[in-house]
Amino acid sequence: MSLFLSTAFGFPTVLLTPLLTVVALYWLFVALGAADSEMLDGTDEAGEALGLSAVMGRLGLGRVPVTVALTMLIFVAWFVSMMGSILTSLIDTTSTPLLITLGVVVLLIALVVAWAVTSGLVMGVSRFLPKNRQDSKHELVGRTCVVRIGEATDSFGQAEITTAGGAAISIPVRTTGGEILPLGSTALIFDHDGEDDVFLVTHFDTALDPGQG
């Protein structure tokens, strides 16, 4: 245990240990439903990646959510740094410049290996991941939802829709032309407003649904 702690909090692994802790806490919040697994992803109105999404794309890691790619990078880099630090600790020297040099070398190797491994993993797991959020949102257009909180107006609205997998999710909705949809009413999603990230809805007569009756 003492070797593990001294390595985890020694140079260069100490630079990565806090990041790994943040990643672990982040995924705990995701599991509890308090955080979004795609919170760092960003695209413009044309669907082009922005910010960290663009950076990950240039690194060849844009096929998965930014948080997934960062998690892989940080974990692999931390693990390689740990192993490298343990190996270099076997060198019998007290020279501070040499120890710092070895630490820098280990860190660089860890980062390169992390990128290589993550690139391979991303290529492997991307085929099993759902399409990006923007595509998924547009796929909801043409489907119906149920107003669940108060009324749906042109300034506020929250509705529930059942995904293809059978899960009920809550989505922000807005009406147009001053239309007001009361609580519990069925609405038809006819568009997605990418600028405000809301779904535009209108009243839907359930009697017109061929799946009814």
Side-chain angles (χ1 to χ4, degrees):
M1 177 62 75
S2 61
L3 176 60
F4 174 83
L5 293 176
S6 63
T7 305
F9 293 97
F11 182 77
T13 313
V14 68
L15 301 177
L16 301 170
T17 298
L19 296 177
L20 186 66
T21 302
V22 171
V23 165
L25 291 175
Y26 164 74
W27 285 109
L28 175 60
F29 283 122
V30 170
L32 295 175
D36 186 348
S37 63
E38 298 180 2
M39 63 184 296
L40 298 180
D41 293 285
T43 57
D44 58 20
E45 294 182 359
E48 296 295 327
L50 296 174
L52 281 174
S53 294
V55 174
M56 288 300 174
R58 295 188 186 99
L59 292 175
L61 307 176
R63 298 183 181 88
V64 297
V66 172
T67 51
V68 174
L70 282 176
T71 297
M72 293 179 183
L73 280 171
I74 292 171
F75 176 76
V76 175
W78 179 86
F79 180 79
V80 174
S81 179
M82 282 283 292
M83 296 300 100
S85 295
I86 290 175
L87 290 176
T88 56
S89 68
L90 300 178
I91 299 176
D92 186 15
T93 180
T94 57
S95 172
T96 300
L98 178 58
L99 291 174
I100 293 176
T101 300
L102 290 174
V104 171
V105 171
V106 168
L107 180 60
L108 292 176
I109 293 175
L111 294 177
V112 172
V113 172
W115 174 80
V117 172
T118 302
S119 296
L121 290 175
V122 164
M123 293 180 64
V125 303
S126 60
R127 69 187 64 181
F128 302 108
L129 294 177
K131 298 179 180 179
N132 67 61
R133 174 175 292 184
Q134 291 299 321
D135 289 342
S136 298
K137 287 182 177 179
H138 285 294
E139 287 177 358
L140 296 181
V141 175
R143 298 183 57 188
T144 59
C145 58
V146 179
V147 178
R148 289 304 187 193
I149 300 179
E151 298 176 330
T153 66
D154 56 5
S155 60
F156 176 80
Q158 202 72 20
E160 182 181 276
I161 187 171
T162 302
T163 65
I169 60 174
S170 180
I171 58 173
V173 297
R174 300 290 186 272
T175 62
T176 59
E179 184 178 15
I180 298 177
L181 302 179
L183 176 67
S185 60
T186 300
L188 174 67
I189 302 172
F190 65 87
D191 197 6
H192 175 253
D193 185 346
E195 182 176 352
D196 295 325
D197 197 17
V198 296
F199 293 92
L200 302 180
V201 298
T202 187
H203 173 71
F204 179 77
D205 188 349
T206 55
L208 300 177
D209 186 354
Q212 296 292 328

